[in-house]
């Protein structure tokens, strides 16, 4: 398998492993959170059911004592008897002869009974006495509701005149109290009063009591449970984050080791290729007869050998510490650039590559490290060729003067750089995804070339920028202060 394909497979595997790790972690966290929620919710329900349990028993007993010989409240039975028994025979006749009239009459009767019961209710004082006597909360609210009113014309044969089993949905059956949310959770008692005789009644009613902020009180009681639950989830998330971060760091270190080995091959390939080409030229008898050409080729070998020597140490330094150590010397920029361009031309064997150099006339002297100046220009040239899918690949190198700066521009007609990744191209090990199937034989894209360029530029106190449009090529501009 080719190295590029091998690295692509490894990269894809790493991406898949990270994605799988994230998915498994998220699913596990959701399962854990769901279990925690179920446990906390069940605890809340249990606490809600047990809340006010002893107080309810106390109120049930106390309320039962106050109505031993009565209905609803002390005196309530007399109000009921006053309306029902005088109308018993009328109800019987209407029930047997006219159902519509019976329904209308019983509705009026029930309404009159409820109205009178509300007017004569002394439940406020009864509840206040129960609360005071038993030391219950003053914040208690209550509601007394009718559930059922039946009448019997014959023994144990009841006829319903009122039936409402959902008092929380209506205020119709409310006799006394201000509690807005009666339910089975806050029901104190349900009392049914009946008598197995002719012309009698069967009455069922319920008493509810609760505090208005029941849910908040329950949550306060559950606060330790909630805090422990949330803290445990936080610890799990924190441990996951620390583990994931350390795993990513270890993975990055492993990738950096692999990339470093490959980057060494990539960086060493440039001067080595120039040396090989120059050496082959020296083996040509026609060239050997031309002393000027021999001298030119030996100069190339000498420069690239020195570069190869420095490269071994410099690549190690920049990979370890991300710092560039400069050995500055006065350089005539035009001459230095011309040497770099000439040396690189020996490496180009593809006839579709056209490289031109247009350098400002004159001599501009700068303080620079020759090795790193070469690294800057060579990497920019290689990127211009590497990311180019045109049948005729054009690379233009321009040196121009400004009022305060000298500008080295490397322009190409390649694939260009999308605006959303232009801010990342100088990041270490950043490798943009492209549709190019080959790298033109110029080595693998390891994400170190432009990083090295930026490090060298910044170390000199220069600056670099890029202008690019996808499909139209890119132009890298190095700004050098003109002193």
């Amino acid at each position: 398998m080719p190295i590029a394909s091998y690295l692509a497979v490894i990269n894809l595997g790493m991406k898949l492993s990270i994605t799988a790790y994230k998915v498994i972690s998220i699913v596990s966290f959701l399962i854990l959170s769901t279990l925690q929620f179920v446990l906390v919710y069940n605890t809340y329900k249990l606490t809600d059911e047990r809340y006010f349990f002893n107080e309810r028993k106390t109120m049930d007993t106390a309320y039962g004592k106050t109505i031993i010989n009565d209905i609803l409240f002390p005196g309530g039975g007399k109000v009921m008897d006053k309306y029902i028994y005088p109308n018993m025979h009328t109800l019987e006749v209407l029930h047997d002869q006219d159902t519509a009239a019976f329904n209308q009459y019983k509705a009026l009767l029930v309404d009159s009974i409820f109205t009178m019961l509300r007017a004569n209710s002394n439940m406020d004082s009864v509840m206040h006495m129960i609360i005071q006597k038993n030391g219950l909360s003053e914040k208690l609210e209550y509601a007394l509701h009718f559930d059922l009113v039946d009448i019997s014309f014959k023994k144990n044969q009841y006829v319903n005149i009122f039936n409402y089993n959902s008092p929380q949905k209506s205020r119709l059956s409310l006799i006394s109290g201000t509690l807005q949310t009666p339910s089975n959770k806050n029901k104190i008692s349900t009392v049914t009063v009946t008598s197995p005789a002719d012309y009698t009644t069967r009455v069922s009613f319920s008493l509810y009591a609760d505090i208005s902020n029941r849910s908040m009180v329950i949550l306060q009681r559950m606060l330790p449970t909630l805090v422990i639950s949330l803290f445990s989830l936080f610890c799990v998330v924190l441990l996951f984050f620390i583990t994931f971060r350390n795993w990513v760091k270890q993975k990055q270190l492993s990738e950096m080791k692999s990339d470093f080995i490959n980057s060494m091959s990539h960086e060493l390939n440039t001067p080595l290729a120039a040396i090989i080409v120059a050496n082959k030229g020296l083996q040509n008898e026609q060239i050997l007869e031309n002393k000027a050409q021999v001298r030119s080729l030996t100069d190339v070998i000498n420069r690239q050998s020195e570069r190869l020597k420095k490269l071994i140490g410099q690549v190690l330094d920049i990979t370890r510490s991300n710092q560039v150590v400069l050995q500055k010397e006065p350089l005539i920029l035009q001459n230095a650039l011309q040497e770099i361009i000439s040396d690189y031309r020996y490496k180009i064997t593809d006839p579709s590559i056209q490289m031109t150099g247009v350098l400002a006339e004159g001599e501009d002297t700068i303080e620079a490290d020759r090795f790193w100046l070469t690294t800057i220009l060579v990497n920019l040239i290689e990127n211009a060729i590497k990311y180019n899918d045109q049948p005729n690949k054009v690379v233009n190198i321009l040196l121009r003067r400004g009022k305060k700066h000298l500008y080295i521009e490397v322009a190409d007609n390649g694939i260009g750089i999308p605006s959303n990744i232009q801010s990342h191209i100088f990041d270490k090990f950043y490798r943009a995804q492209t549709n190019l199937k080959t790298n033109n034989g110029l080595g693998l894209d390891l994400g170190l070339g432009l990083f090295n360029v930026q490090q060298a530029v910044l170390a000199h106190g220069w600056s670099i920028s890029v202008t690019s449009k996808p499909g139209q090529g890119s132009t890298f501009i190095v700004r050098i202060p003109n002193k």
Side-chain angles (χ1 to χ4, degrees), residues 276-296:
I276 292 172
V277 172
N279 183 61
K280 285 183 178 180
L282 289 175
Q283 295 174 0
N284 190 317
E285 294 183 359
Q286 293 180 353
I287 293 177
L288 288 174
E289 294 176 357
N290 189 328
K291 293 184 179 180
Q293 288 185 345
V294 171
R295 181 59 183 271
S296 175

Side-chain angles (χ1 to χ4, degrees), residues 272-342:
L272 189 59
I275 293 173
I276 292 172
V277 172
N279 183 61
K280 285 183 178 180
L282 289 175
Q283 295 174 0
N284 190 317
E285 294 183 359
Q286 293 180 353
I287 293 177
L288 288 174
E289 294 176 357
N290 189 328
K291 293 184 179 180
Q293 288 185 345
V294 171
R295 181 59 183 271
S296 175
L297 291 175
T298 56
D299 287 343
V300 169
I301 293 174
N302 181 63
R303 286 195 298 268
Q304 295 305 321
S305 298
E306 287 296 322
R307 174 171 172 75
L308 193 58
K309 178 181 178 182
K310 290 184 178 180
L311 190 60
I312 294 173
Q314 295 288 356
V315 171
L316 288 172
D317 289 340
I318 194 170
T319 305
R320 284 195 298 261
S321 63
N322 292 343
Q323 293 180 352
V324 174
V325 179
L326 300 180
Q327 296 179 358
K328 290 185 178 182
E329 59 179 299
L331 296 176
I332 298 175
L333 188 54
Q334 284 84 346
N335 295 345
L337 294 180
Q338 189 60 55
E339 286 182 357
I340 296 169
I341 295 171
S342 299

